[in-house]
């Protein structure tokens, strides 16, 4: 793994400092890793007419692929009607869990029935015990890859649906996935525990191409 630390000039030890144009070199910090941790190179052709070639990491999606995912998700009915929580006029619900190759996509709903807007501070995903908060730690796929229609604020007396994509993962049967949504400068926080059963029963978005090379 290389990191560029900038240009430098190499001078002979027996000469005083002078400007040496032809002796400009570059230094790099080198760190060896046991395996390739990540290789990702994404090129979008929206703002250029030049022909581009991109090598994508398996979990990455380009603009066209994201548009197809968003379109397919929007036409799917909301199937998970019982996964919800309510706090002070705000309702949070998980309406669908999808899988597309090696990513999971969670479609959430936020419904504001109060007269005060709801501003999202953050959304995090952790794993923990079902009956206690001990041994709580970030989920294997805790870092979101991308999202669709994620709002900054849910206005008073309004609703919104949005989708968050995570790397595919499962959790032990005695553990749960904890979805935590915090309100900025407020106290309407959601702390929902999702069992592994819902994850392994995720809907396949494009079943007709599963298994094809």
């Amino acid at each position: 793994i290389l990191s560029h630390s900038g240009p430098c000039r190499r001078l002979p030890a027996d000469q005083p400092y002078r400007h040496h144009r032809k002796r400009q070199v570059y230094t790099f910090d080198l760190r060896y890793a046991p395996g390739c941790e990540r290789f990702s190179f994404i090129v979008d052709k929206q703002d250029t007419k030049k022909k581009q070639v991109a090598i994508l990491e398996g979990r990455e999606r380009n603009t066209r692929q994201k548009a197809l995912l968003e379109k397919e998700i929007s036409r799917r009915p909301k199937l998970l009607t019982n996964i919800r929580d309510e706090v002070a006029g705000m309702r949070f619900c998980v309406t669908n869990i999808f899988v597309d190759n090696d990513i999971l996509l969670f479609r959430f709903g936020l419904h504001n029935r109060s007269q005060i807007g709801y501003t999202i501070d953050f959304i995090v995903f952790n794993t923990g015990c079902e009956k206690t908060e001990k041994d709580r730690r970030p989920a294997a796929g805790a870092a979101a890859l991308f999202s669709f229609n994620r709002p900054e604020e849910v206005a008073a007396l309004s609703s919104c649906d949005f989708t968050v994509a995570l790397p595919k993962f499962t959790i032990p049967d005695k553990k749960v996935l904890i979805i935590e949504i915090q309100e900025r400068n407020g106290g309407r926080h959601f702390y929902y525990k999702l069992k592994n059963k819902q994850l392994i029963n995720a809907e396949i978005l494009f079943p007709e191409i599963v298994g094809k090379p």
Side-chain angles (χ1 to χ4, degrees), residues 5 25 36 57 66 69 76 97 102 113 121 130 132 142 153 162 170 185 212:
S5 58
V25 296
C36 182
E57 188 187 41
K66 290 179 181 178
L69 286 172
R76 294 292 186 98
I97 303 174
D102 54 358
R113 300 179 179 179
D121 191 9
E130 185 173 358
T132 178
E153 181 177 2
F162 63 100
T170 58
N185 300 323
K212 291 186 178 182

Side-chain angles (χ1 to χ4, degrees), residues 117-131:
Y118 184 90
T119 302
I120 298 176
D121 191 9
F122 61 81
I123 304 174
V124 295
F125 299 83
N126 295 294
T127 59
C129 297
E130 185 173 358
K131 297 182 180 181

Side-chain angles (χ1 to χ4, degrees), residues 26-115:
Y26 292 87
T27 62
F28 294 87
D29 297 323
L30 179 64
R31 178 170 63 88
Y32 288 96
C36 182
E37 297 179 8
R38 179 180 177 88
F39 183 78
S40 179
F41 179 63
I42 304 175
V43 176
D44 267 329
K45 296 189 293 183
Q46 288 188 331
D47 300 326
T48 179
K49 295 181 180 180
K50 296 180 180 180
K51 183 178 180 181
Q52 302 282 1
V53 177
I55 302 174
L56 301 181
E57 188 187 41
R59 293 169 179 166
E60 304 287 357
R61 300 294 187 272
N62 60 32
T63 301
R64 179 178 176 275
Q65 291 170 328
K66 290 179 181 178
L68 290 174
L69 286 172
E70 185 175 11
K71 181 178 180 181
E72 180 64 20
I73 289 173
S74 66
R75 59 181 290 271
R76 294 292 186 98
K78 299 176 182 180
L79 298 181
L80 304 176
T81 57
N82 297 322
I83 305 179
R84 63 185 182 216
D85 193 14
E86 294 191 30
V87 177
M90 283 294 303
R91 173 183 286 184
F92 162 75
C93 54
V94 183
T95 60
N96 300 84
I97 303 174
F98 303 104
V99 61
D100 179 56
N101 292 325
D102 54 358
I103 64 172
L104 284 170
L105 299 107
F106 296 81
R107 181 158 67 174
F108 300 129
L110 281 174
H111 309 276
N112 189 353
R113 300 179 179 179
S114 73
Q115 299 290 343

Side-chain angles (χ1 to χ4, degrees), residues 155-180:
L157 304 176
S158 67
S159 302
C160 71
D161 295 321
F162 63 100
T163 302
V164 177
L166 300 176
K168 185 172 65 178
F169 63 94
T170 58
I171 52 179
D173 288 336
K174 293 184 179 181
K175 301 285 186 178
V176 291
L177 175 66
I178 301 169
I179 304 170
E180 188 173 0

